[in-house]
Every structure is written in C-alpha cells, then in structure tokens.
Amino acid sequence: MHRSAGSQQSNYGKWTLSSSDDESEDRGRPSTSSSMSRDRVDPVPQYPCSDARKESLKRKSDPLRFEERPGKEPSPAKKLKTDKEKSGWRLSSSDEESKPRQTLKVKAERDETSRKLEVPNTNKKRQPSPDTREKYKTPSDSQDPWDVMKAGELFGFYLTKVTGIKPKYNTGALHIKDILSPLFGTLVSSVQFNYCIDVAWLVAQYPEEFRKKPLLIVHGEKQQSKAQLHEDAHPYENIRLCQARLDNAFGTHHTKMMLLLYQEGLRVVIHTSNLIRDDWHQKTQGIWLSPLYPRLPEGSSSLAGESVTNFRSDLMAYLNAYSSPSLREWMDVIKQHDLSETRVYLVGSTPGRFQGHDKEKWGHFRLRKILRERASPIAGVESWPVLGQFSSIGSMGTDKTKWLHSEFSESLKTLGKGVKTLPNTENPLQLIYPSVDNVRTSLEGYPAGGSLPYSIQTAQKQPWLHSYFHRWKAETSGRSRAMPHIKTYMRVSPDCRKLAWFMVTSANLSKAAWGSLEKNGTQLFIRSYELGVLFLPSAFGYDNGVFHVKENIYAKNDDLKGTFPVPYDLPPEHYAGKDRPWVWNIPYVNAPDSHGNIWCPS
Ligand code: JTA
C-alpha cells in the first residue's frame, strides 16, 4: 500500500542551524562555517561539482577509518577550504582500463565555431556484421551491446552498468563504451552536452577508430573552470567547445545528451551521467537511446521526419535556445534525418523568464501542457500518487504551499482535457531520495554522498519536506546499493501495477530546474538547462492509456507487451523514524560505511 506522506507530522531532519534564503539548488560548494551559519553562495559559482568530487576522491585516496575516528562526539563540520584548485576529476584521466592516452598535435587556432559538418550522403549498412559484434563483445559480457540495445528497443530506456553487482543485474545495462561502440553506428561526428567533463577520460571512452572524429562539448563552465576545460581539451585538435549561455548567477548546465552522427544515420542519447569515470561506475543512472534515425532522401519536404510526439521540432527548439553557431549546424543535420519513429516527448528547461505561449515551452509547465493535451483518460487516475525520485534538492520555502504543491505537484498531477484534478491531500506526492543509511551501506560508501549535494543549509530550512521522503530501494534490479543519480518522475496506480506516464530527466527537485512562477503567475522563471524524455502510453499505441509495471525487470518469460521497466522497487518505503535524508556537508562518524570509513567534510 502507498503511504500518504504529506499529511504526516515531520520528524525527519531536525537540525539546529540558522536559516538563510538563497533560492538556488544546492551548489558544488558545501560552504559550512564553524559557527554553522550560512555562508553566502558566490554570485558566480566557481568549479561547480568540484568540491564534491574532491571530497569523495579525497576520502577514497585518504579514507578516515572508523576505528581511527577523532573522538566519539560528532564534531561539527569544520570550515571548508574554498581553495580554487583545479578539481580532482579533471586532474586525473582516471581511465580505469589504462588504454594508451591519445597524443595529438596542438592546433593554434581554436574558436567555438566548428567546421562545416559533412553529413554522409548514403544510408549505409544499418546492422553490424557478426564479426564486428564479436569484436566489441567484452569477455565478461553475456550479451554484446547490440543485443542489449535490441532487447530494450521498445522504450529505449536503459540503466548504466554497475561494477560489483551480480552479472545478471547488468543484463540490459549499458556502459558509455557500449553506447559509443561501432555496433551502434560508424561515427562521423558527435556532440556531448554535460555538466562535469573529464576530457581525457571521455576521449578514452570512444573506440580508438573514432577518437579523432570531430567532437563538440557543450558545457556551462565560466571563468577559471572554463579556462581549465579549454586547457584540458587543448591537446585534442578534434575537440571544440561551446559554452552555454547562462545569464543568471545560479544557473547550471545540467543537460546530458549525446548527438551521434553516423555514416548510417543519427542517434540522440539523453541520459543522467556526468562524463567522469565515477558516474559510470557504481551509480544508478538512466539512459534513453533514440532509434537509429535514417537520413531523409535529398529534397524531402521540411515537414518530413517529424514524429507524432513532435520530437524533432522540440529538439530543434531546445538547441535553438543556446543561440550557438555550432549547434545551428547540428540543427541542419537533424533536419536532414527522419526522426518520425520517436515515441517519447522531449521535456527540457532552458534559462530565462517566459510569458504567454513561451511559458509552456519549458520546465514543469511544459510537462503540464503535454499531460493536459496528450494524457489518455484512465478511470480513477486522479487519485493515483505522483512519484518523484532525484539526487539533489533545492530550497523550496517554508512550507509545501510555496512551490511544491502550488506549482510542481499541480503540474505533475495534470490530467487530460476536461478532467478535474483532486486536491493534493487525496493524491499523495511521494518522494524518493537516499537516506543516510542508504548512502552508508552503498557500494561506494559515504563518498557516494558526494553526488547527492543536499546541503545542511537548505535541509534545515525545510524539515516539512522530509515527511514525503522514501528510501532508495531497488532489490529487483540489484541496484539498492548503487546510489541513484538518475532522476525519474511518474504517476503510478495505488496497487503499483500501472503507470499513467514515466519520465527520466536531468532535473532534480528544485525551482532552478523546473521553474517557478513570478509576476502573479504570468511568468515562469527557470535558471538551468535540463533535459529529459516523457513516456506516454498513448504514443506507444497502448489504447488503455497505461503501461504495466514490470515488477522484476530481469524476470524471464515476462513478455507482457507494454510493461515498463521501472528501475526501483514499488511501493516506495517510507523513511523509518531513525532515517534522515542524506546531507553531504555534515559529518557521519558514528557508523562505518561499506569500506569501514567515516565521513568528515572538512
Ligand atoms: C555534486 C553534482 C549533475 C550535477 C550537478 C552537482 C553538484 C555536486 C554532483 C552533479 N551538480 N553541485 O548535473 O549531474 O553541487 O553542483 O552530479
């Protein structure tokens, strides 16, 4: 049974810290001071992500053993060093396979516009030969990447491979090397949109024969971290960089997407992993793989190649928001391909203040619009819970009426035209976010918390929120101990057997990501770039308007058409009395993690 969390008295997350009022989602800088009062967040954030990475890398290389902990009393978080060194994840290529590093000649001229993209003019073979497949099969893999892709082709929804779990739980999962494998296409040129990028590691993920193909990296770094990224990319003459415009101080480029131009066509990959080794190692991450989009015949109508979900023009609108010459070339490439087989809806966020028709282009109002226009009527769906699952949490005010219920939940519970929604009390909102114990007992141990950047400063302002929280639990997918960096949202029936819709995205639970209303509700303000895809049963031809929930995603002989592979266990388990949401910038010294270490953010 589902438990309605919203009405419960909150016992979760009682901290005794002073409050502040920043509006942003938590940043990469756990800036606690010894007095535990709030430091101001830098108006121009430097090295986003890097403090988290540094903290977990530091603890991995120099762990604080449980037995050797300083004292019994948990010491308050000490003042964080705000050193502006370059981050750990950029310092090392951290290439676990130690492939020979590519050494390329340095090119003098480097600007942000790429050379003209040459789109191959033939639809070459669309299926690899048995020999090629054999070549790219890793010895430990029972399935080659081609089989994995084929098996999940209906929804195109995959998880990332996790090191250290039973092989059966990696059935159907993909590593970045699998995605970039020649089995999926003969690469001509690619774009990587992301947040954290270890350039040397990224290059090493491409098969050797593709490592010198043009690669455009779209990022949101500014100032020193931008300079650092340029320096990192400098040795590779095939790499160009595109800085996403971010006008407001707290905006972030979270979008994680690959555009892969092949001799055989084009593929779009929308996912949740940073381009760093740790994000593809022991975390639960989501991937949507598009079909292989064939090239349109020369002289096709400009209307050809669109899908019933309007995916192509929505993707064009998203790319157009960057106002970048290099991405405009990729928009031309997309125009030359047939995206009509796409069954998902694109749901993105781009920074800005949006009014009128534009208000429905991005963020939670975009999701609201699709649900209103496209959701099928389902008997009793108005009382089905809405579930949100994420890896970071922004500041959302002093109570649920400020944003969570008035805006976010209002959008997610939207029904098709002419159907009335119920008040929130009658359709519970359930939120899944790892508890301290989830992190402590995870494969990575406490360092997993470096990718769950919920700060004490934000958490202590919103204890009311934690009453909605449920643990991360994924026994049936073998990923209970692989902490989520995936973000998913869905509407599920009370018996957890049916889904009205499902979404995987980069967007965490924050106003910065989903947008918040201004000017008496006439304007939606969004700070960040986010990207995700929405699965609606109607677009997959399920006339009853639902997906069935595949309870065990690895069960054999479970070929009921229309079962969606939900990547965690349902119903969600509510936090128990002793559970607390993971907060990354306070110490955990009373119990050792799975590696026998404690967590002492310095
Ligand atoms: C740690 C982060 C992302 C993303 C964004 C992160 C921060 C800390 C991990 C992460 N921000 N942070 O887009 O995937 O505080 O900004 O994984």
Side-chain angles (χ1 to χ4, degrees), residues 297-558:
E298 207 75 43
S300 295
S301 141
S302 61
L303 299 172
E306 186 54 283
S307 75
V308 290
T309 57
N310 210 45
F311 185 84
R312 195 175 69 166
S313 44
D314 291 335
L315 181 59
M316 299 283 265
Y318 178 80
L319 296 177
N320 191 51
Y322 288 83
S323 309
S324 144
S326 343
L327 288 178
R328 217 153 272 140
E329 290 190 23
W330 277 89
M331 290 167 68
D332 293 334
V333 169
I334 291 164
K335 272 187 221 155
Q336 293 163 27
H337 288 84
D338 178 2
L339 280 63
S340 63
E341 293 294 297
T342 318
R343 292 167 182 262
V344 296
Y345 292 85
L346 192 74
V347 179
S349 293
T350 69
R353 295 184 150 88
F354 305 98
Q355 303 186 328
H357 282 308
D358 288 349
K359 206 174 110 183
E360 299 183 316
K361 282 183 80 173
W362 318 110
H364 70 86
F365 269 77
R366 160 75 176 155
L367 179 56
R368 185 182 293 203
K369 180 172 191 260
I370 303 170
L371 293 175
R372 171 131 312 248
E373 292 177 353
R374 304 295 182 98
S376 316
I378 305 163
V381 74
E382 63 278 3
S383 64
W384 290 17
V386 166
L387 225 145
Q389 175 275 309
F390 39 80
S391 60
S392 186
I393 304 158
S395 180
M396 48 202 80
T398 51
D399 62 82
K400 64 185 184 186
T401 66
K402 297 295 187 292
W403 180 78
L404 189 72
H405 278 194
S406 58
E407 294 191 36
F408 182 70
S409 160
E410 195 63 31
S411 288
L412 270 69
K413 67 181 199 174
T414 298
L415 302 170
K417 284 199 176 100
V419 191
K420 259 244 164 89
T421 58
L422 289 181
N424 276 311
T425 46
E426 291 166 62
N427 104 26
L429 175 67
Q430 304 183 319
L431 304 176
I432 297 178
Y433 176 76
S435 67
V436 173
D437 244 45
N438 277 154
V439 175
R440 187 179 68 81
T441 59
S442 70
L443 290 169
E444 295 175 273
Y446 289 128
S451 298
L452 301 161
Y454 189 27
S455 77
I456 186 65
Q457 292 77 17
T458 307
Q460 54 93 27
K461 284 187 287 177
Q462 49 196 27
W464 59 269
L465 178 68
H466 309 142
S467 67
Y468 294 84
F469 281 12
H470 295 69
R471 295 170 175 157
W472 173 252
K473 186 168 182 244
E475 298 298 337
T476 61
S477 66
R479 279 165 174 74
S480 279
R481 288 174 15 98
M483 287 300 97
H485 190 261
I486 189 176
K487 295 88 173 141
T488 60
Y489 300 85
M490 65 191 194
R491 188 151 204 176
V492 60
S493 66
D495 66 1
C496 299
R497 306 288 285 273
K498 287 177 249 168
L499 289 186
W501 53 266
F502 180 93
M503 177 173 171
V504 60
T505 174
S506 62
N508 274 306
L509 187 69
S510 79
K511 296 199 278 184
W514 288 98
S516 60
L517 290 172
E518 295 179 334
K519 295 200 172 171
N520 203 22
T522 59
Q523 179 170 287
L524 186 70
F525 174 41
I526 297 177
R527 293 183 188 271
S528 298
Y529 292 88
E530 308 284 352
L531 201 59
V533 293
L534 170 70
F535 299 82
L536 272 188
S538 57
F540 288 84
Y542 304 134
D543 299 329
N544 55 359
V546 297
F547 296 125
H548 292 275
V549 174
K550 195 162 186 175
E551 284 180 82
N552 182 344
I553 65 173
Y554 302 112
K556 300 236 164 73
N557 311 319
D558 180 7

Side-chain angles (χ1 to χ4, degrees), residues 25-30 47-53 194-196 252-256 272-274 276 279 285 391-392 449-454 485 487 506 508 530 584:
E25 188 183 340
D26 284 326
R27 310 278 337 163
R29 213 163 61 86
Y47 306 100
C49 207
S50 66
D51 283 306
R53 304 293 170 204
N194 220 300
Y195 175 68
C196 281
T252 312
H253 186 264
H254 280 152
T255 293
K256 292 159 178 61
T272 65
S273 305
N274 286 290
I276 56 175
D279 266 37
Q285 304 268 18
S391 60
S392 186
S451 298
L452 301 161
Y454 189 27
H485 190 261
K487 295 88 173 141
S506 62
N508 274 306
E530 308 284 352
W584 77 330

